[in-house]
Amino acid sequence: MYEQMVTARYYEERLQEEYLVGKQPAFDISAGPIPGELHLAAGHESSGAGVCIHLRDDDTVTAPHRPHHIAIAKGVDLKKMTAEIFGRETGLCRGKGGHMHLFDPDVNFACSGIIAQGCPPAVGAAMAAKKRNTDSVAVAFLGEGAIDQGGFLESLNLAAVQDLPVVFVIEDNDWAISMPKDRVTDVEDGSRRALGFDMPGERVDSDDAVAVYEAAERAIMRARDGNGPSLIEVQVHRRMGHFMGDAEAYRPEADIERAKQRDSIERLADDLRAHGVEDDELDEIRERAHERVDEAIAWAKEQPEPDPSTAYENVFTNPPAQAATDGGANTSDASSDGDEGGDQ
């Protein structure tokens, strides 16, 4: 768990460095080697590591828009994930998904930028496991800002009605984008949402990977043994803005400083030292993690960018043959209807 957490933290820090290249001094979201938005989860590491340590490749995990620490803990290919974030042809989704839409079927991992979107697919995976009479489980991660979404609540209901092997994990970092938790939801403890669906709910009140591990073990073993769904809320912290480039003018400086003091990685390192692990061993783990991350980023940057013509591949509806050959430059059909056609 410690190695996964250290890997995730360093990975986020390195992505932050790469992302900001070419985007300053006037922030340009489209510039640099990583175009578009980037949402980092530094401070969430205990959640991903403490839960996913109990999972197998055949278990399904869905994650929200801060997915990297969860993906690393689930065993997603780090090089292919990094190539995807850099928009390269050899990425998990051939460079089309970016960092919020990672998909790795080898370890049954997916994520989405849509709030609470991962809950219904996780319930579906759990239903499939039950119908196949396997002991596979599904885990849906979401933020505390998503606990009032219909997709989440309906998923809780279906999971409870069908008694499915799924665990819902709420990562509570106190901020729903720019809004403090108490301004967007009516409960201080999100695990209480479980009460309305007659399923076990538990909250881990601190950034403690061991406590997360213990809570997750109870929930996942319950699901794997055929005893139905559970809900866990984990207190984490946000060490960076909602997205890279977020000035966080809405956030009190004292809250930012408090978050920096709540470091689950240092807490776990102290626990390991208390159990006889030497600093030299911890240093070796960190060095190994850093080398792995640096190698993945260097590899990703060397990968080819997708051919623009592949934009028409792997879509729900293929474009008209003419659009594929001339880029849709011929607009005679649309223009023949005049302004009315344009408005339509």
Side-chain angles (χ1 to χ4, degrees), residues 14-160:
R14 289 288 288 110
L15 285 182
Q16 181 183 35
E17 294 174 4
E18 295 290 340
Y19 181 77
L20 292 175
V21 171
K23 289 184 171 64
Q24 297 172 319
F27 187 75
D28 182 354
I29 198 171
S30 65
I34 304 178
E37 288 192 317
L38 184 67
H39 304 81
L40 299 180
H44 289 216
E45 295 86 359
S46 62
S47 172
V51 172
C52 292
I53 196 73
H54 298 290
L55 301 179
R56 309 182 307 234
D57 286 353
D58 61 300
D59 295 324
T60 296
V61 166
T62 63
H65 58 284
R66 301 183 195 281
H68 309 141
H69 62 302
I70 303 168
I72 288 170
K74 186 60 170 73
V76 171
D77 187 297
L78 191 63
K79 287 185 175 180
K80 291 182 179 179
M81 178 168 77
T82 308
E84 183 62 33
I85 293 170
F86 278 83
R88 303 307 171 100
E89 172 68 27
T90 52
L92 291 170
C93 301
R94 298 180 64 187
K96 295 182 179 181
H99 97 100
M100 286 189 285
H101 301 99
L102 306 168
F103 179 66
D104 189 348
D106 290 339
V107 294
N108 289 322
F109 176 88
C111 60
S112 173
I114 306 301
I115 303 301
Q117 185 276 338
C119 297
V123 170
M127 181 176 288
K130 184 174 182 178
K131 287 182 177 292
R132 291 170 178 156
N133 293 316
T134 72
D135 67 346
S136 299
V137 304
V139 178
F141 287 83
L142 62 151
E144 89 288 340
I147 67 173
D148 300 310
Q149 292 288 320
F152 169 60
L153 298 171
E154 291 173 17
S155 295
L156 289 178
N157 183 65
L158 184 58

Side-chain angles (χ1 to χ4, degrees), residues 7 12 24 73 85-86 102 117 133 153 180 208 214 235 240 278 295:
T7 301
E12 302 264 88
Q24 297 172 319
I85 293 170
F86 278 83
L102 306 168
Q117 185 276 338
N133 293 316
L153 298 171
D208 186 340
E214 293 171 347
Q235 179 67 60
M240 300 176 181
E278 299 292 336
E295 181 181 347

Side-chain angles (χ1 to χ4, degrees), residues 312 317-330:
Y312 292 123
T317 302
N318 290 324
Q322 185 177 4
T325 56
D326 66 11
N330 188 336

